[in-house]
Amino acid sequence: MKQRWIKPVLILTLLLALLPTAAPGAVTAQSDGWRVTAAMALEDLGLTPPWLQFAPDGHHVAYGGLDVLCIFDVLTAAEQCVEISKESGYSFSPEDYFPSLRWSPDSSQIALVGVPYKFLRDTDLGLLDLSSLELLPLLDDGYTGNLLVSDDTSIASIETQPAWSHDGTMIAFEQVLFMLGSASMARIALLDVTTGDMRELTTLPGETEDKTDAGSTVGMAWSPDGTTLALSLRHMTPDLESDGIWLLDVESGELEQVLSLQQTADLLEADYPQSDVYAAAPLSWSPDGARLQFWAGNPMALTSMLLCFWMNMDSREITRVELPAHPNEPEGAQFIYPIQATWSPDGSMLLVAAREIEPIPGEEVVQLDPTRDNTAVSLYLFDVATGDRTLLGHLPLVPAPMFVAAWGPDGDVLIDGYHLKLEQP
């Protein structure tokens, strides 16, 4: 496998925008079930993807700059902003596998970590409460500056991959300590948001005292029942056996590997033998706890295919999100591939946005945004129990973060740089 350098997703998006798109078509009936009843491009509201993070409620968006973090409600067009001090070290540039912030399950709070490994700056785990717009440090190491700590009195504590428990009381994260230019072994820890108590759960599989890789956790998701953390690991130097998806028991700290990086590569090898696999990440647990959705591939490698899967948590059976095969695509290539996915509130459906490099001949075009004249993205709804796939319609390709989408309890959806209303008769 090739070494992957983290780059902004915008590069890939702009390259894809130069490829052919479908001609516009008339709006037609979608299906007798779920329907998209409204579509609004976020850029029409003044929001510019991909520097956006979507809230679970499907209508709040967070975005930041060098000295500010803002929250925008798509339904009311209300914006709230809070100043961010430069000393905090926070940055909000887009990253495929290292989110700079995470929304709480009820969309009322945000955990912040920035992107410390991109700019090698110390950051502390922080919390923004939307009711007060007060930014609080949850973990403060007392150090500010470069991660290459050179004095013998300072310790920089770096937290990444914040993951909220579904009751909003706990945040899990990877933590690494830096001192005198060296890093400790990475560990997974929990923080009680109310009391401030922290508990270490485990160090990472594949790490030893003489082999420490900060930032090896590239995906983390908490099971809805609060008993298990799903981790996706990818060491700086890939470890085909130790890297992959692990389940971590929150009570005991015991680890169980359910998919190795080699097995992840094998999932692509059969159909796409030239694919570069960076990780089995990000991860998303279905709201009913029955399935774990994950991605496989490398979004920055132009030769790599990007595929979406879900794992049945009882049987460990893995199902690939099957998109239509294009009759003109050559062997080993994808003309239609997934770019974002999100679970329905009850976990029975998976909504997938797919990039169409070329329209399928004879396919009915359902234009969801008639104000724009291309349909380069198709929206599919998958019934995970039956595997049935429904085409909801088409959207234009606009700059949008890879992987990231949200489906709220009231039918609000944020996906492909759009806010949609998704309803069922």
Side-chain angles (χ1 to χ4, degrees), residues 150-191:
S150 58
D151 64 81
D152 58 4
T153 61
S154 297
I155 298 177
S157 173
I158 299 301
E159 293 79 39
T160 55
Q161 293 294 339
W164 289 85
S165 62
H166 281 250
D167 62 5
T169 63
M170 306 286 289
I171 299 176
F173 48 88
E174 180 196 285
Q175 185 180 61
V176 177
L177 305 180
F178 288 83
M179 183 177 181
L180 291 175
S182 63
S184 70
M185 295 178 67
R187 58 184 179 179
I188 303 299
L190 299 182
L191 180 73

Side-chain angles (χ1 to χ4, degrees), residues 102 105 161-173 188-193 199 201 219-231 248-251 283-287 289 291-292:
R102 281 269 174 81
Q161 293 294 339
W164 289 85
S165 62
H166 281 250
D167 62 5
T169 63
M170 306 286 289
I171 299 176
F173 48 88
I188 303 299
L190 299 182
L191 180 73
D192 187 308
V193 177
R199 176 165 66 98
L201 294 181
M220 190 183 301
W222 206 312
S223 66
D225 64 7
T227 64
T228 308
L229 281 166
L231 311 174
L248 174 59
D249 186 280
V250 173
E251 181 65 28
L283 307 173
S284 176
W285 218 302
S286 65
R291 296 167 180 85
L292 183 69

Side-chain angles (χ1 to χ4, degrees), residues 320-331:
R320 174 179 160 184
V321 172
E322 291 285 356
L323 294 168
H326 196 287
N328 297 338
E329 65 186 18
E331 184 178 355

